[in-house]
Amino acid sequence: MNSVVASAVPLFGLFTEPVSVAHYLVVGAILFVSGVACMALKRNALGVLMGIELVLNGANVNFVAFASPYLQGEGSRSLGLDGQVFALFVILLAAAEAAVALAITLNFYNNHATVDVDRADDLKG
Amino acid sequence: MAEFLINTVGLPDWLAWTVTAMVAAALILNVIAGGALVFIWAERKIAGRIQDRLGPTRTGGKFGWLQSLADGIKLLAKEDLMPDGADGMLFRLAPYVSFCASFCAFIALPFAFDFVGQRMNVGVFFVIAVLGLEVFGVILAGYASASKWSLFGAMREAAQVVSYEVPLGMCVVVPVMLAGSMDLVTIAEKQAGWLTNWYLFHDPFTFVIFWVYVTCAVASVNRAPFDLAEAESELVAGFHTEYSGLRWSYFFMAEYGSMFLVSALAALLFLGGWNGPVPVASLLGLSEGTGDTAGYFVRLLGMANLLGKATLGVLIMMWIRWTLPRLRIDQVMMTCLKYCTPIAAAMFLGAMLWQVALPGGLVPALRRPAGEIREGWLPGPGGAFALPSADAGKVAKVNP
Amino acid sequence: MISALSMIAGISTAAPLPVAAINWHSVFFLLFAAIACGFAVAVVAAENVVRMAFYLVLSLGATAGLFFLAGAEFVGAMQLMIYVGGTLVLLVFGVMLTAQAPLVAIKGSGRDRVLAGFVGVALLAVLLQSAFSVKPWRAAAAGMVAEPAATPIGMSLVGVRVDDPAGGAPATNKRPGYMLPFEIVSIHLLVVLVGAAYLARAKRRKTPRAIEVAASVEPPASVAEHASIGRERQRSGSVLAGGRS
């Protein structure tokens, strides 16, 4: 009966199969690409910053997926603790990066009364 | 409960777990909603008494105990307004964001030994983290209202959050360090026994840091003297100036829910959790760990204990609110960052040194053998560190 | 009551979808993954910068849910606490400070959109191909192996490894911990804190403000009192204290 249903309902297999590392990698890839597109598209400096956060988060999803012992199949070993610790460091450094980037943006806003990154061309020859 | 449904009632696994989850969610929701009803009435009565008034006296009998229900009906009947310039989606969503954050934090909060929505290895951390998300509701509400007063309230809230979260985190770390675990159930279990086993009385440093925690907790739930975000004498009503009716009441449910939550957290971290000042159950020879009726009764007793402590905490917050004047925003930030943070850091160091010097605490004779977990971390005679056994939750002891 | 419940159970097992075959871990994974990816795309698509920030909050929050599902409870809680509760509050704060009507929605040019779309699709294709190209990564999970615990992470950060070694290596106590990176990150954060405070500090103005000029020309006593209050507010507070600069 299961196979009948599986063929009748598209993608029903997603609900019955256990999650593997590849599932997480897909999520990480979508987050990463969204972040890159966000960085390329947005002209608001804070929008660019949000893109960076998305990129870092996509990388974090991958780290955690490789570290997780739950997602590994028979015979393969997880990255173990190292992946989780890397994810932690990424989170911490993202916080630091956001603080500095925000300070720079606010300074730029104070001096130029805009946050449009295309207007930051004072040093252009 | 899920095991009971599967084994005794004979439900399929998925249905049993779903029913269990629904029951747990309904119970938590009732704690928040019922608590809010009682606390709103209590607040009115307390405010009245402190200001030499009677408070509500007519609605529902002598003590006006139906007052909050009447308030609720009034709020339901009110027109739901939205300003013209408001960002519709964010304006509608903001109250729910606040309420959801407050609700989600209850998931990891244990009410008694086994009465917990989801026991987590990082319980304390989870509760503090999720509680911190409540601020998004306030900020979004303030921005989306398209009102200067609301925006001022939201900005103050954002500034306040970054100042109180630092000392709050430091205060929470101390009981975690003493218990050697971030699991709230474990932390409370370590304080079982007499009153002197509570972490409040563990050493002078924990006693001081408890009061720092109280200060930061009051700041974290936006209550006077830290209610800068709504400061009704300066900002009309701050972030919820433009809200009315049911949406407005969601903010209040969230506020009372968080008040109860930080009080319960204080009880779990410093005041022995569900362990009463006198270990009645263990004196009678009953244990909460057993699955029989006696164990269930002991756990119910523990829950009453914890609810009592948390309610006491909420009442104290009301007392503070109606006694102290409101601070200015720079005074709030100064209190949190210039006073609370250094005090918390110094007390953290002190508690750590005390733990090294006197691991048994002030009254070792009345204390359970402390540091079962930590022994496993120390190097053994052969210089070998303990590797975790199959149960990774507990680190195995080193064999001498 | 009980019989009614089992009746419902009986009906639902005979229902067209075989509920018993559903893997609930996968269902919750799909739920959180959909929220994370959907709102990540919404961040790109949104024009209003405040809404972008809100979508980002939801996306990162759902990612924390994914971490919990992968058994990384500590990382998930850390994500909620530092990323969502700290970094994004800061970001929203910045957004609100700069959110004036013309700056809320700055539109990119059409050429940028085409370019970004092209790069995005190409990158996504490459990443998806590589995600599915390694066979062990697609292998079905073995399921729950151990309760997640935060102790090994904490111990490794002070330089002691108590976790099971990865890759089948023998369990020795000579494996490297993370004490040095931990210290480096601490110093880094301190430097960043100082640097950000320095960058964002209130600048002294070269030209005196009108109110200061007014105060310096010996006003009558009652006005002088007001002006001194005004200066006091300017010195002590910022926009937050109500003294507009």
Side-chain angles (χ1 to χ4, degrees), chain B residues 168-204:
Chain B
L168 187 69
M170 276 188 179
C171 297
V172 165
V173 161
V174 172
V176 168
M177 181 187 71
L178 295 180
S181 165
M182 282 195 281
D183 187 350
L184 279 168
V185 178
T186 314
I187 292 177
E189 279 296 289
K190 291 247 173 184
Q191 306 174 54
W194 290 85
L195 181 73
T196 45
N197 275 4
W198 294 359
Y199 282 149
L200 178 64
F201 305 120
H202 184 269
D203 55 59

Side-chain angles (χ1 to χ4, degrees), chain A residues 81 84-85 88, chain B residues 120-123 125 176-177 179-183 186 190 372-378 385-389 391-396, chain C residues 71-75 147-164 177-178:
Chain A
L81 199 57
Q84 289 195 22
V85 176
L88 286 182
Chain B
M120 274 190 199
N121 191 265
V122 290
F125 202 19
V176 168
M177 181 187 71
S181 165
M182 282 195 281
D183 187 350
T186 314
K190 291 247 173 184
E372 295 114 343
I373 292 183
R374 203 139 327 163
E375 273 171 34
W377 299 355
L378 296 173
F385 292 108
L387 286 170
S389 53
D391 178 11
K394 294 188 202 104
V395 178
Chain C
E73 284 195 350
F74 187 72
V75 182
E147 282 286 318
T151 309
I153 294 182
M155 292 309 287
S156 79
L157 286 181
V158 294
V160 181
R161 298 291 290 262
V162 293
D163 58 317
D164 280 326
Y178 289 99

